[in-house]
Structure formats: C-alpha cells, structure tokens
Amino acid sequence: MDKEPTESLWVRIKGRAGPGDIIAGVCYRPPEQGDQADEALYRQIGAASHSQALVLMRDCNHPDICWTDNTEEYKQSRKFLECVNDNFLLQVIEEPTRRSAMLNLVLTNKEGLVGDVKLKGSLGCSDHEMVEFRILRAARKVQGKLTTLDFRRADFGLFRDLLGRIPWDKALEGRGTQDNWLIFKGHLLRAQEQCIPTKRKLSINTKRPPWMTREILGKVKQKKEAHRKWKQGQVAWEEYREAI
C-alpha cells in the first residue's frame, strides 16, 4: 500500500486458500482534503483492486456525484470517478445516506460479492445512515432489469421543437459556465423525458451503462494512460494519436 498518510484501514479476510481472500477497506475523505492526499488514497485503491475480491466502504464527501448517470460537477469528484472507473469498481448503494446526499459508498471489484444492502437508520447522534450488507463468499451472478432509452420509438421532431422554443440567449445570459451547463442539462433531460420512451433490458451488471463493457473500460483506461504519458513528454504526439 501507499506510504503517504491517508484516513484508511485495510483488512485481509483469509479464506481457505490464497485466492479465496477478501480485501476489505474503510476510507474517509475529509471535505477539505487536498489533491496530494486524494492521489495517495487512489493509489491505495488501485493496488487493492488488483486483489481477487475487494469490498471498499468509503465516506467520500462528494455530494455532487450522480451515480445514476456517472456525472459530477467538481474536479475532485471527477478524479474520484476516474479512479472508480479505471479500477472497474461497482458502487452498490442506491439511496441517500446523509439527508439527500449519497456520501457513504460501498464499492466492489466483483459482481455479486456484495448483497442484501439495506439502510438501517442512524446510530446514536450520527446524521449518516447505517449501511448493512452481506459479503457473499461465493460471488453470484446477478441479473437485474435496466431501464434504457428506446431511441427507435423516440419523437425527435418534438424533441427539436421543445428545445427550439427555449430563448437560450436570455436563459444563459450573465451566467457562468457551470450554471449554463446545469440549465442546458435540465432542459435537455426534460425534453428527453417527454420525447424518448424507456424500455426494460436484462443485464448482468446493473451499475454500469449496458453498453459499457469491460473491454470498453479497458480501452478508456488505455487512452487516459497514453494522454498522461504524452502530457509528461514520455511519448511523441504520433504515438499518442495511434493509441486513441
């Protein structure tokens, strides 16, 4: 593990054989934590994710992250999402754990390893929900029903009409980039809800988009690594272009 100090505890739960071990981690990220401490923790998570089975419990203090569509508002949250995606972790909490925010997370690198997740109310004077779950020694494949957009039945004419009615110059006037994005996103999602129906789709993995396969995630990681090396001058522009 990384030698830089982080607020984390890691435990190895021994199985009958080496490959049966489970790594369990508990991490806390203070709201004022800096980039250097964040990066140290992400290196620890990366090292732990190489284990056969990982369960990570974390108070992340990233209330701006939307786990439904994998989006965020701030740089620190984007870095955390990149860490989650780069290490192929699944986030299994689906309900807010502190008021309306989802701050307490349970992540795993193996489908079906964590089950029966429940929120059990606060403990004592804590304002966080207590999370209860089971670690299943034999990870099972779980089929879930995904709701996806059905573009074949979409009314794109109405979609364009609804967005065309909005006085964009007035709506976005005098606002910053982030505010403009949130306004645009809100109008876009409302139009989407009216014009693009949804359908149910069976999927083994209910925590990622149905099109996000492990192969695609690997390609994304490869692209990010090539970009990092190009920015540091380790590879030429032509080699970076070939990688993407």
Side-chain angles (χ1 to χ4, degrees):
M1 294 296 178
D2 200 289
K3 293 183 179 180
E4 295 189 44
T6 61
E7 297 200 37
S8 61
L9 173 67
W10 302 89
V11 176
R12 183 185 300 275
I13 303 174
K14 298 291 290 183
R16 293 183 179 178
D21 295 352
I22 296 175
I23 298 296
V26 181
C27 306
Y28 171 65
R29 180 189 182 276
E32 70 282 358
Q33 181 163 288
D35 292 343
Q36 188 173 357
D38 278 346
E39 291 298 331
L41 182 57
Y42 298 157
R43 288 193 293 271
Q44 290 185 355
I45 294 174
S49 68
H50 293 154
S51 63
Q52 190 76 9
L54 168 68
V55 178
L56 174 63
M57 294 148 280
R58 171 169 174 147
D59 182 350
C60 68
N61 276 309
H62 292 303
D64 57 299
I65 292 180
C66 176
W67 291 98
T68 303
D69 54 13
N70 215 39
T71 59
E72 84 299 316
E73 296 181 25
Y74 302 110
K75 173 187 172 184
Q76 292 88 346
S77 301
R78 183 172 67 252
K79 290 287 188 180
F80 176 55
L81 276 181
E82 289 175 356
C83 172
V84 170
N85 292 329
D86 287 350
N87 292 293
F88 309 111
L89 300 179
L90 306 175
Q91 203 289 111
V92 301
I93 301 292
E94 297 180 343
E95 302 175 58
T97 57
R98 184 178 184 270
R99 302 191 182 103
S100 61
M102 193 181 297
L103 300 184
N104 305 94
L105 311 175
V106 177
L107 302 112
T108 178
N109 65 346
K110 194 169 186 178
E111 296 171 17
L113 180 63
V114 174
D116 300 330
V117 181
K118 300 174 184 176
L119 300 186
K120 305 291 287 187
S122 60
L123 180 64
C125 59
S126 173
D127 60 353
H128 290 250
E129 292 278 340
M130 183 167 54
V131 181
E132 178 184 287
F133 60 90
R134 294 177 61 198
I135 298 178
L136 308 171
R137 293 294 302 182
R140 61 193 179 196
K141 294 290 183 179
V142 180
Q143 280 200 341
K145 290 185 177 180
L146 286 172
T147 300
T148 62
L149 297 175
D150 188 355
F151 291 102
R152 292 187 178 183
R153 297 191 293 134
D155 187 342
F156 288 109
L158 177 59
F159 187 79
R160 287 190 292 268
D161 181 59
L162 289 175
L163 293 180
R165 296 177 191 174
I166 299 169
W168 292 108
D169 290 342
K170 184 176 180 180
L172 305 179
E173 183 180 3
R175 301 178 183 272
T177 303
Q178 185 62 31
D179 289 339
N180 286 340
W181 159 243
L182 293 175
I183 291 171
F184 173 75
K185 179 182 176 181
H187 285 297
L188 183 71
L189 293 178
R190 283 192 289 272
Q192 171 187 292
E193 186 176 351
Q194 294 183 53
C195 305
I196 307 177
T198 59
K199 62 181 180 180
R200 306 290 287 183
K201 181 177 180 180
L202 287 176
S203 174
I204 294 296
N205 180 3
T206 60
K207 300 303 174 186
R208 296 179 190 148
W211 49 265
M212 183 62 79
T213 64
R214 194 172 185 88
E215 180 182 359
I216 293 176
L217 282 172
K219 294 292 185 182
V220 171
K221 186 174 182 179
Q222 180 181 352
K223 175 183 176 181
K224 290 178 179 178
E225 179 64 16
H227 182 258
R228 183 187 66 80
K229 289 183 177 179
W230 172 68
K231 288 186 69 176
Q232 294 178 352
Q234 298 178 12
V235 299
W237 169 256
E238 292 75 14
E239 187 176 347
Y240 166 58
R241 290 293 299 171
E242 284 293 324
I244 62 174

